[in-house]
Structures are given as structure tokens and as C-alpha cells.
Amino acid sequence: MRPARPAGPSGAALGVLCAAAVCAPVAAQQIPDPDFDATVASPAFPSGTGPHVLVDAAHQNFHTADGRYGAFAAVLRADGYRIGSGTRSLDAEALAGVDVLVIANPGMEGGASWALPTAPVFTEAEVATVRQWVEQGGALFLIADHMPAAGAAASLAAAFGVRFTNGYTFGPRDGSGIPGDRFTRADGTLRPHPITDGRHASERVDSIRTFTGQAFQLVAPADTLLRYGADAVTLLPVDAGAGTLDERTPRVPSPSWPHAVALEVGQGRAVLFGEAAAFSAQLAGPNRFPMGMNHPDAARNKQLLLNVLHWLSGLTG
């Protein structure tokens, strides 16, 4: 389960956090929601004929097509995409025939260490290969949550001009009691873009919810899709193994820092997103809390996922 929201950026009692891998018993209770509706009213492609989407499963990924991203894969299949699981290093042969590469929360599963500093999970050769592949027309969807996923994926993000933050970003309480943050077009935290606008009015996204991730900074130009508000703060734990954040945890103000961006790279495209649960559909904890596209306040998250893939596939923009 994602961390409990702090009382506010002032640093008042933050309490104990249970993050995806810090509290293993809770993580084990994140199960797929069997009642999630993955259907798509008007599929972009006839069934099984769309672009090939490869979902990485070779880098200690917490979210994979056969696991916690089962709903993610189901939505894309319903839209006509062909889904595969990547179980090997990212080299030219592994990416041959792939249209969209999805990497979600690497470095968080399968014996991954939460000790600081977080070690990169991608080799220099893999980073160079993925960058070149995108420049030549590939499409990358890189999704990295709060620490340690942000640190594990930092080298790959840097190759695209994005500096990931290996911590936890929180906006102010919105009064709903729901973990995470709400981004809306009305308050400017959700930005106009072919991804958020969609191909027509029924695909327009005006509000989504994420479930506690990271904000990041831009080193190169990119289009911001989601950004935190004026009161956002990022907490930077110095002892990941403790599993706690409190008033002593170092923090930096993060007003308007991006939470999701899109950019064109040579002949290809990339989308980088700072939270992974938003595109899952899970039941978390002993009370089976809905977390992801199945949450009532995340009704447009599924459409945003489709819009991202449509843009990466060249259907929009």
C-alpha cells in the first residue's frame, strides 16, 4: 500500500508509512480487483492487431503484465494492442518488433534492496540502447514511483532529460481522506496536451488521481502533463529500511514540479510518469481498499492510460 499522507508541508506528525516494499505484509495484500471493468467502448484497433507493447519484467519490476499490471494489460488488449512480457536485458534483439516499451517500478521486487544509495537497475548499455531505439522511432512509457523505483530508474530517465527524485512527494490534503493526489484541469495541475485532450470530447481528461509517488525536474524541454501545486513537498528519507517518515525527514519544497511529462525524441516519443498504482486496479490492505483505476475518484485514469498509448502509437499529436 502507498504511504499515509503527511499532515502537511509544515512537517507536523507524519507517522509510519507503509510503502509498496517497506511493509511487506501490506504489499503482499495488494491483489488484483476481480471486478474491475477493463472493457473499451470504441477500441482503437481490431482485437489483436494493434501495436506491440512490451511490458518489462526483467528489472525487479513491482508492476508487470502478469502481476500487478494485469488490469493495465487487459485495458490495452481491449483497445486492440498486442501485449508481451520482457524477460531479458534491453538490447537491440529484445526491442526488435516492439512498438511501445513499458517499464513500471523497476528495482522494487524480487529481492530488491531499499538501502541507500539506490543502485541503478539498468546497465549503461541498456540505457544507450533504449535511447537510440526511441530516437529511431520507438516509444517509451517509463513509470517510476516513490523510492526506490525512482532511484533505480534514474539513469534511464536522465537519458531523456528528466531528473527523478528518490523520495516521496505530497501535495496538501484535499479533504477527501484518499491517499495520494488529485490533478485537475481546473486548478492547472493537469495540463492541456494531445494526451489529456484525447482525439475527441469523449476522451478528454479533466481530473485524475495518483496514489503517492515522486515529483521530478526537467533538464531538457518536455511537455508537462501533470504538475504538483504550490504547496507540494518532497520528503527524502535517509534510512529507507526504517519505513518511517517523520518531522526529522529531510524535505524540499516542490511547487509546480512535474509528475508526468511527454516529449518527442528524434523520430520517437516518450512519456515519463511519477506514480504506478494510478494505472493498476488493486485491492490493498486487509480492508481491500481500491487503489488505481478502480477507485471512484480515479474514474478517468483508464482513459488517460489509453490516451498515453494512443499518443505513443502516433494516433494523436
Side-chain angles (χ1 to χ4, degrees):
M1 188 174 179
R2 292 297 184 256
R5 176 180 297 280
S10 64
L14 300 178
V16 177
L17 299 182
C18 282
V22 173
C23 289
V26 177
Q29 294 171 13
Q30 289 186 17
I31 62 173
D33 183 349
D35 298 323
F36 173 67
D37 180 10
T39 60
V40 174
S42 300
F45 306 95
S47 180
T49 67
H52 179 203
V53 178
L54 185 71
V55 182
D56 182 41
H59 296 87
Q60 298 176 318
N61 305 80
F62 193 71
H63 292 81
T64 63
D66 298 326
R68 296 180 181 90
Y69 257 16
F72 178 105
V75 169
L76 297 189
R77 287 193 186 99
D79 205 36
Y81 287 90
R82 295 172 290 128
I83 309 299
S85 293
T87 57
R88 53 174 293 175
S89 297
L90 297 172
D91 56 22
E93 184 177 350
L95 295 175
V98 174
D99 298 298
V100 181
L101 171 64
V102 177
I103 301 172
N105 272 0
M108 292 184 69
E109 187 75 325
S113 173
W114 282 57
L116 295 174
T118 302
V121 295
F122 302 103
T123 66
E124 292 182 4
E126 287 180 306
V127 170
T129 295
V130 173
R131 169 74 195 199
Q132 182 181 46
W133 175 75
V134 174
E135 288 178 340
Q136 295 174 348
L140 171 67
F141 191 10
L142 175 59
I143 308 166
D145 225 309
H146 53 69
M147 72 177 307
S155 62
L156 183 56
F160 293 90
V162 176
R163 182 182 295 131
F164 278 172
T165 307
N166 199 30
Y168 299 79
T169 303
F170 300 95
R173 288 183 182 272
D174 63 8
S176 67
I178 302 169
D181 296 276
R182 191 167 183 255
F183 298 83
T184 71
R185 198 179 292 259
D187 67 12
T189 55
L190 185 151
R191 308 298 296 164
H193 184 273
I195 289 176
T196 54
D197 295 343
R199 295 174 295 176
H200 40 70
S202 67
E203 293 184 353
R204 176 182 166 103
V205 175
D206 290 326
S207 173
I208 74 155
R209 177 168 289 279
T210 66
F211 296 83
T212 306
Q214 56 130 341
F216 40 81
Q217 297 173 289
L218 300 180
V219 180
D223 294 326
T224 297
L225 307 177
L226 305 176
R227 67 182 183 188
Y228 283 92
D231 296 326
V233 62
T234 296
L235 276 65
L236 301 168
V238 295
D239 184 4
T244 62
L245 299 181
D246 57 29
E247 63 277 359
R248 298 166 296 179
T249 304
R251 67 203 61 215
V252 294
S254 310
S256 299
W257 285 21
H259 191 41
V261 297
L263 61 155
E264 299 197 25
V265 184
Q267 300 176 44
R269 292 178 169 181
V271 171
L272 286 76
F273 206 92
E275 203 277 317
F279 298 127
S280 69
Q282 303 172 75
L283 300 175
N287 294 326
R288 297 294 187 260
F289 175 83
M291 186 173 66
M293 296 182 288
N294 56 338
H295 195 282
D297 197 47
R300 296 300 284 170
N301 285 32
K302 180 168 82 169
Q303 186 61 58
L304 183 66
L305 171 60
L306 292 171
N307 290 0
V308 168
L309 267 292
H310 294 167
W311 187 78
L312 289 173
S313 304
L315 295 183
T316 57

